[in-house]
Amino acid sequence: MSHLNSIQLEQLQEIGSYLHQTRQEQSKPLAEIATATYIPLRLLKAIENAQEEALPQAIFIQGFIRRYGDALGLDGMTLAQRFSTDSSPVATLEKPEPQPIPAPEPPPAPAKPATQQESSTVELPFKPIYGWYLLAGICAIAGLILSTRFFSSPAPQEPTAKQEVPPSPTTEQPPIVDESSTNSPSTPEASPEAIIPKASPEVQATPEPEVPPPQTAPATSAPIAINTDITGESWMRITVDGKVEFEGIAKEGTQQQWTAKEKLKLETGNAGAVMLSVNGEAAKPLGKLGAVKQVTLTPDAARPQFEN
């Protein structure tokens, strides 16, 4: 015998199908749910398949649903409340037997209106004395109205003579004389020849700025002057009067002038890449490419002295 009513069965089918679908989406076996909820495996299968014969009373089924939902990460309490624990049978309503509908009674016939002849009228007996009273009253009212109008109408007034109003004397206004045409002397119109145009201001040309002549570099007064032209990278050291002025790698294309009073010393690690000009003479390479050279110049020496 079924211990669940039809409403509970529908709720159990809906909840069991929802739990089964959620478990499949999470790829969890039913045995794992049984271990986590301590619910026998056969009861979990009965809940998913809505097998009411294998399930206990409705109150226990509601508890199983709550623990099953919590194991899947759902709101087990809300899910369990969707299953009703009221197992009372659902009362079925019996259809009432149809009863014959009585035929409608015909409406009563409208009453005929009473004609003038059939209607009873009460006629008062006419007496001749009432007529005299009525006529006397009408005459009295008419006389009263006439006398009231006669005494209340005002007496006719004699027409009064119109008072002639003398015309007001008009004051003659003196003629208006245009003083501008009489007093002011007539100004002669300016002829086109009398108009002298204003002389426009002369535009003064701004003088061009004078360009100073190019200044030539003053000739060096030092007794020793050299010019170096680097055609390739080379290490070089320049010593002027005992002081090192440059030491490092000279880049290709570098041109420089050096002057000294007593002594000028030039050392290079790539003599073929250094073009040297002494006191304005033609530039010549110090030596072969890759050769190490050392040159010492003094005011007494006319040409470079090469040292090893």
Side-chain angles (χ1 to χ4, degrees), residues 143-166:
L144 182 60
I145 292 172
L146 292 175
S147 60
T148 302
R149 288 186 177 180
F150 178 76
F151 288 108
S152 61
S153 59
Q157 297 179 359
E158 295 182 358
T160 58
K162 293 183 178 181
Q163 297 180 357
E164 295 182 358
V165 179

Side-chain angles (χ1 to χ4, degrees), residues 237-246 258 263-265:
R237 178 166 59 189
I238 305 294
T239 305
V240 177
D241 294 335
K243 182 180 179 183
V244 177
E245 294 291 339
F246 175 79
W258 310 92
K263 184 179 180 179
L264 192 149
K265 185 177 181 181

Side-chain angles (χ1 to χ4, degrees), residues 65-146:
I65 292 172
R66 178 180 59 80
R67 285 190 286 172
Y68 194 172
D70 292 339
L72 293 177
L74 304 174
D75 189 357
M77 181 62 68
T78 304
L79 190 64
Q81 290 177 356
R82 294 170 57 182
F83 180 76
S84 176
T85 58
D86 186 8
S87 302
S88 59
V90 180
T92 57
L93 299 177
E94 297 181 357
K95 296 182 179 180
E97 298 180 358
Q99 296 181 0
I101 300 174
E105 298 180 357
K112 295 181 179 181
T115 58
Q116 186 177 2
Q117 294 179 359
E118 295 178 358
S119 61
S120 58
T121 58
V122 180
E123 295 182 358
L124 296 176
F126 179 75
K127 293 182 180 181
I129 190 171
Y130 293 150
W132 293 106
Y133 289 160
L134 182 59
L135 181 59
I138 291 173
C139 293
I141 293 172
L144 182 60
I145 292 172
L146 292 175

Side-chain angles (χ1 to χ4, degrees), residues 18-29:
Y18 176 65
L19 291 173
H20 175 74
Q21 181 180 358
T22 305
R23 182 176 62 81
Q24 293 292 335
E25 292 176 355
Q26 297 180 5
S27 301
K28 290 185 178 179

